[in-house]
Structure formats: structure tokens, C-alpha cells
Amino acid sequence: MPYPATLEGFAFQSMGLDRADALRGDAGALRDQWPDAWLIVLDGEGRAAAGADGMPLPLRGAAFGGGPGTAIFLGRTDTQAWFALEASALPALDVAQWVDLRRAAADWPADLASTFAYARGMLYWHARNRFCGVCGGGVTFDRGGFAGHCAQCGNDHYPRVDPAVIVAVSDGERLLLGRQPGWAARRWSVLAGFVEPGETLEQTVVREVHEEAGVRVLGCRYLASQPWPFPGALMLGFEALAAGDEPRVDGELEAARWFTREEIGRALREDGPGTDGIVLSPGISIARALIVHWYGQGTTLTRT
């Protein structure tokens, strides 16, 4: 059976930057890049500085003089470098509005939204790693912001990403969805969970589906991934074939149940604030792409 097509349609998968790792350790080269560089500026809540049109402010390094300082070097396009920094590191800016990442994912060009996600993840890591987790000493950053060093104990620190599986579970005819406490009314989504130490991704799929819904996975297959900087996850998308166990929940989920193809099709067609049916994950998420993929193609896995 052919491998399924890569999932499409979700946010943060279009990276227009060359990360230019070779430049990170060259402080002189980064200073040279600064005057013509584009800056993406975030506030303390992870929102981007934008103009009245909701698009990112066209800020250049030359407008602030000096060099990159504590700015994080994100990489280069064909013509310019990009840096990320906190608004508190700059003089007062004339900002019409601050745009959050979910809005940017829906409204900005895909490559800009992906750059915003990248910047948010890096600045979040900086903000929460100012002190060494080993000895409590102060951490200084170099290599364009990609390496932290504790002068007190000598330990080095690097950006962290938390892997999580997210999985469209089918019994061959139906799709398993769950609800978390606190979600909006009628909101349902595919199941997800973080990878634990010592686990393979496949083992995580089996464990999470059984823990959350009491359903036994018979086999699974990787499809695609999505950076999800809320705050620092990497969502690893799978499809899975499961036994047709009756779902049962035990704490983490409020409810879990099987949905027919007709129910999913209606939800996809009628999804929106006025629907009286179920509400699925938003279009920016790999969760939605997994649901669409299952509805269009079913599962490529078969019982052996």
C-alpha cells in the first residue's frame, strides 16, 4: 500500500528562512547583518508588534543603531537577515496593535507566520532559562542566541523542544475523538500526548490512546509534524488503527467517542460559530489536517 501524501493546510510548516547555522558563531558577521536586517519584535505575552493593518511592523536594525546585542539571529532569506527580540530591549515603539500567534497563523503570509512561531519559541526559551537549572547561576547566551552558558558551573544549555504525538485513531470505519474539560461547547479533537523518557513514538501512541480512551492500538504510521509553540511542542502526527473498543475515560479527558464518516463530514461542512453540531479543531492545527486526511482517505492501515 502506498505511503499517504504529506498532510497539508496547517500553519507553521512554511519556513522561508535559511537558518544559517554557520553565521551563529561569527559575532562580526552578525553585526554586519544587523543594519539591513528585519526585526520581529514580541512583547512579554509572545505577541508580535504590528501596524494598523495587522501586519508585522517593518522594523530594520539600522533604525536602532549599534549591533544585535541580545537579539536572536533567526536566519536569512536571499537578501536579508532576520532577528527576534523582546520589545523591552528597544526604545518605545509606535505599535498600533499586538498580534497573537493564532491570529497571525490565520491572517499573515505562511512564511511570516512560521517565522513568528520560530521567534516565539526561541524567546520563550530565553525567558525561562536565564538561570542555570543545575546550580542556579546566571546564564549568558551566545551563538546568535542558540547557546546558553553558565559561568558558575560551566554547563551549556540549548533550545528545548517537547515532542508530542497527535493521532487520528480509526477502527476502519469510525474516527475516535475526545473532549478535554474546559473546552468550548461541542469541541472535539483527535487524541494527543507528550512522549515520555525511554519511549519510542509508536509506544507513545499506544500508551496515550489507551490511557486517555481505553482503546487498544493495533498499528500506527507517521504522517507529518507541526511546530506548536504554545509554548514549545513539536506535534508528531500519526494515523492509527485500533480495535473497536468502547471508549472509556479516566480523568484526563471529559469524554471520548467514535464518530462516523457522516458525522465528521457534516462537522467539516458546517464548522463555524453557527453550527449546532460538533466543532472540530481550528484550521491552523495539524489536528484538523489529520481529521481531513482521515475523512478523505480513511486509514491506510489494515489488520493483519
Side-chain angles (χ1 to χ4, degrees), residues 55-130:
M55 293 294 106
L57 286 179
L59 301 172
R60 304 291 284 271
F64 303 100
T70 60
I72 299 169
F73 174 62
L74 299 176
R76 285 185 52 85
T77 63
D78 291 338
T79 56
Q80 267 100 26
W82 280 75
F83 289 84
L85 67 165
E86 292 183 351
S88 60
L90 292 173
L93 296 174
D94 182 14
V95 178
Q97 56 185 304
W98 295 93
V99 172
D100 67 40
L101 188 51
R102 285 182 170 85
R103 178 181 166 191
D107 296 345
W108 290 11
D111 58 344
L112 283 179
S114 295
T115 300
F116 181 0
Y118 176 20
R120 190 180 190 276
M122 287 300 300
L123 286 168
Y124 180 89
W125 176 68
H126 270 231
R128 282 151 183 79
N129 288 273
R130 291 173 176 152

Side-chain angles (χ1 to χ4, degrees), residues 75-260:
R76 285 185 52 85
T77 63
D78 291 338
T79 56
Q80 267 100 26
W82 280 75
F83 289 84
L85 67 165
E86 292 183 351
S88 60
L90 292 173
L93 296 174
D94 182 14
V95 178
Q97 56 185 304
W98 295 93
V99 172
D100 67 40
L101 188 51
R102 285 182 170 85
R103 178 181 166 191
D107 296 345
W108 290 11
D111 58 344
L112 283 179
S114 295
T115 300
F116 181 0
Y118 176 20
R120 190 180 190 276
M122 287 300 300
L123 286 168
Y124 180 89
W125 176 68
H126 270 231
R128 282 151 183 79
N129 288 273
R130 291 173 176 152
F131 298 94
C132 178
V134 178
C135 73
V139 171
T140 57
F141 296 95
D142 58 11
R143 284 192 51 78
F146 278 76
H149 181 74
C150 176
Q152 184 164 290
C153 71
N155 272 286
D156 294 321
H157 303 270
Y158 300 96
R160 171 177 171 171
V161 175
D162 297 320
V165 300
I166 183 164
V167 54
V169 180
S170 174
D171 65 355
E173 299 293 333
R174 302 171 296 173
L175 183 67
L176 180 66
L177 300 181
R179 266 189 58 80
Q180 291 188 11
W183 278 4
R186 303 191 307 281
R187 169 62 59 82
W188 294 79
S189 187
V190 292
L191 276 54
F194 285 101
V195 181
E196 293 185 352
E199 279 189 323
T200 66
L201 300 179
E202 294 82 1
Q203 289 167 345
T204 305
V205 169
V206 172
R207 176 182 57 78
E208 282 290 341
V209 173
H210 192 263
E211 285 181 356
E212 293 190 358
V215 171
R216 293 167 295 149
V217 167
L218 305 176
C220 63
R221 178 175 293 166
Y222 170 79
L223 294 178
S225 62
Q226 181 185 34
W228 193 247
F230 300 104
L234 175 64
M235 306 304 296
L236 301 154
F238 282 78
E239 62 172 347
L241 181 66
D245 303 317
E246 186 63 26
R248 51 180 172 76
V249 297
D250 186 19
E252 187 170 347
L253 292 180
E254 176 181 276
R257 57 164 284 214
W258 294 106
F259 288 83
T260 66

Side-chain angles (χ1 to χ4, degrees), residues 1-8 10 166 201-202 219-225 235-240 286 290 293 297-301:
M1 186 167 292
Y3 193 80
T6 300
L7 300 183
E8 297 179 345
F10 52 91
I166 183 164
L201 300 179
E202 294 82 1
C220 63
R221 178 175 293 166
Y222 170 79
L223 294 178
S225 62
M235 306 304 296
L236 301 154
F238 282 78
E239 62 172 347
I286 193 173
L290 286 166
H293 179 271
Q297 300 189 35
T299 179
T300 64
L301 300 165

